[in-house]
Every structure is written in C-alpha cells, then in structure tokens.
Amino acid sequence: MRKPVVGISYKTYVNTIDKATELVKALAEVAKNENEVEKFAFPSLGVLYPAAQALKGSEIAFGAQNISPYENGAYTGEISIESIIDMGATHVEIGHAERQHIFHETLEMIHLKTKLTLEKGLTPVLCIGEEAYLENKSERKQVLKEQILTSFGEVDTQHIGRVILAYEPVWAIGKAEAADAAYVQQTHELIREIVKEAYHTETAEAIRIIYGGSVSKDNVYEIITHDDVDGVFIGRFGHDPANYKQILHTVKQVKIK
Ligand code: PGA
C-alpha cells in the first residue's frame, strides 16, 4: 500500500518569523497522531530555519521549496541542500510551475536538482503538469512523459520509486476551483503508465502521485477517492489551520481503510 501524502507550500505568502512559526505550530497541533499520513510543509524559504525549529519533535516533516542544483560553490544567491539537511529537512520541492515560468527554471536544472536530492537521501516532490487543459489523452501523456523522463534523466532507476510526483496542471493553480476529479484520476493513471513503460511495474506501483492546484476542504474528497491519487499538495486553501485539518482528516478517512 502506498502511504498517503498531504503536503503544503506557503510559497512566499507568510514571510516573517513570528507569523511563520505561529502557523507551523498550529499545523503541528492539528496533525498530531495522524501518522498514517505522510505530512510535509514547505515554509517560505527565508524563514525555513525558524519554522524548522518550531516543527522539531512534531509529526510534520519539512523541506525547501527550491534548492540549488549544485551542492556548494560559487553560486551566489542559491540555497544549498547542505544547509537544509543541517536543519533537518527531508523533502525538496522541485520544478514548481512558478519557478519555471517566472524564474525560467529549465528541465535540465530540474533534473540536476532531482538527482542531487535523491543522492542526498531526501525526497523530491517533483512538480509536473500541462500548461493548458488537454482533452486529448495521448497529447496529455506525451507532454507529461517528456517532463518526467527529462527530469529523471540519468537518475539511478532504483531511486525513482522514492520520488513523490506532484501533478499540478498549470491551468488549475491559483484558481477558484481545482481540476475536475475525473480528469485528475485519468491523468494520474497516465503518469503511472509512463513510469511503468520507462522503468518497472514495481516502481510504477510504489511511486506516490499527488494532486496540487486549488485543493480545498470542499473539493478534496472528490479528488482523493480515486485510486491513483495518493494525496494532495495544498496551497492557499490550507493556510487556515482549520481547513488544513479538514483536508488531512478527509485524506486519512478515505485512504486508510
Ligand atoms: P494553490 O497552489 O492551491 O494556491 O493553487 C497550489 C500549488 O501551486 O502547489
């Protein structure tokens, strides 16, 4: 059985030490004794260290929303994986649509970051997703296949099952509504097929595929009831700890039989 996942990213919405620590403490409180679900938070990078301190001893793992593709060296302004490991991070978000579109991150950089994260023993949360709604299944599969295979590149195939693939259709990020749940399930099935065809059946069965893009307490049930959806990646609609709690409980109820 694949362990269900609930992740949350604060992007750069909550950027002061006081507010960020208060928020993650509230999350840790509502996530108590929910250890059947894997939970991680990506605080705003500038407050990662104090947020990490606030999460110490809690059941919520944490990580960075981005890392440098290089371990260390002359890379001004980057955040090294060495620092986040030192803080106790376990997850790294890689290739979010905003990084690709606003900061021109390429698939080659995404590949280097994925490889480095796996080599260091952390869990990459690798974001993939088509730009626009694609009714045609084979076109959708082709776009995602290119993203997945280029991002994995020469990664040691035995590590691929450890990746969490975050399917985030770009057209559903930052909207009032998430993508239609049937479309999400169909796409997760396609993603599993891509992994199976390129690697092994066991890898495809082991890999967790989570959905992100306007997930809320009101739409999570519909999305999570599908078999190939292993969890959700929350943005804005999880900032309120009460909403986060409801999302987490729904995932647990549906996935833990
Ligand atoms: P959103 O963000 O839920 O605010 O759309 C999701 C994401 O970008 O991961």
Side-chain angles (χ1 to χ4, degrees):
M1 197 189 96
R2 295 184 291 268
K3 188 168 187 177
V5 181
V6 172
I8 183 163
S9 168
Y10 292 103
K11 304 194 180 187
T12 33
Y13 283 115
V14 185
N15 309 314
T16 60
I17 297 172
D18 281 357
K19 289 208 171 101
T21 52
E22 187 188 320
L23 196 52
V24 295
K25 278 184 185 159
L27 282 199
E29 194 53 40
V30 302
K32 260 188 188 157
N33 305 317
E34 299 278 8
N35 46 23
E36 290 142 309
V37 177
E38 179 171 332
K39 304 166 293 300
F40 59 81
F42 293 130
S44 177
L45 260 182
V47 289
L48 186 59
Y49 183 65
Q53 293 292 103
L55 284 171
K56 242 188 195 155
S58 81
E59 288 162 40
I60 301 192
F62 72 92
Q65 296 172 12
N66 179 36
I67 49 153
S68 168
Y70 311 105
E71 211 171 325
N72 56 43
Y75 304 105
T76 302
E78 290 290 293
I79 175 159
S80 166
I81 196 161
E82 292 176 348
S83 308
I84 69 158
I85 290 171
D86 198 33
M87 293 178 207
T90 47
H91 293 65
V92 181
E93 182 177 5
I94 300 173
H96 188 276
E98 285 146 21
R99 297 230 38 94
Q100 295 191 52
H101 295 136
I102 308 170
F103 301 104
H104 311 293
E105 194 163 298
T106 62
L107 284 179
E108 176 54 21
M109 284 158 80
I110 292 169
H111 162 60
L112 293 175
K113 293 175 188 197
T114 306
K115 190 162 175 281
L116 178 62
T117 302
L118 285 168
E119 282 168 2
K120 290 288 175 185
L122 279 71
T123 302
V125 179
L126 177 63
C127 302
I128 52 170
E130 73 282 7
E131 299 290 319
Y133 181 91
L134 275 178
E135 182 72 50
N136 185 301
K137 255 173 76 172
S138 56
E139 275 177 44
R140 212 184 317 151
K141 186 173 176 182
Q142 196 45 44
V143 170
L144 294 166
K145 185 174 171 183
E146 154 90 19
Q147 290 178 7
I148 293 169
L149 299 193
T150 317
S151 302
F152 284 156
E154 69 214 41
V155 156
D156 186 341
T157 54
Q158 69 176 12
H159 294 317
I160 287 174
R162 283 174 34 218
V163 173
I164 294 176
L165 284 172
Y167 169 57
E168 301 214 325
V170 181
W171 53 271
I173 297 174
K175 298 293 188 301
E177 298 290 335
D180 176 69
Y183 183 97
V184 172
Q185 162 58 24
Q186 188 184 58
T187 313
H188 282 219
E189 234 179 283
L190 294 174
I191 296 169
R192 226 176 274 289
E193 241 172 65
I194 294 165
V195 175
K196 186 175 164 180
E197 286 160 10
Y199 307 100
H200 306 283
T201 306
E202 302 84 74
T203 310
E205 278 164 10
I207 204 163
R208 270 96 50 90
I209 309 171
I210 64 175
Y211 170 79
S214 309
V215 171
S216 71
K217 64 177 173 37
D218 304 316
N219 59 31
V220 64
Y221 179 81
E222 249 188 295
I223 294 169
I224 201 76
T225 42
H226 294 279
D227 284 350
D228 284 299
V229 183
D230 300 309
V232 286
F233 194 9
I234 317 166
R236 292 156 298 146
F237 300 135
H239 286 190
D240 176 346
N243 292 345
Y244 173 84
K245 183 177 184 174
Q246 208 166 321
I247 295 171
L248 181 59
H249 282 182
T250 305
V251 171
K252 185 181 163 189
Q253 260 165 18
V254 173
K255 292 294 184 191
I256 310 289
K257 306 271 158 47

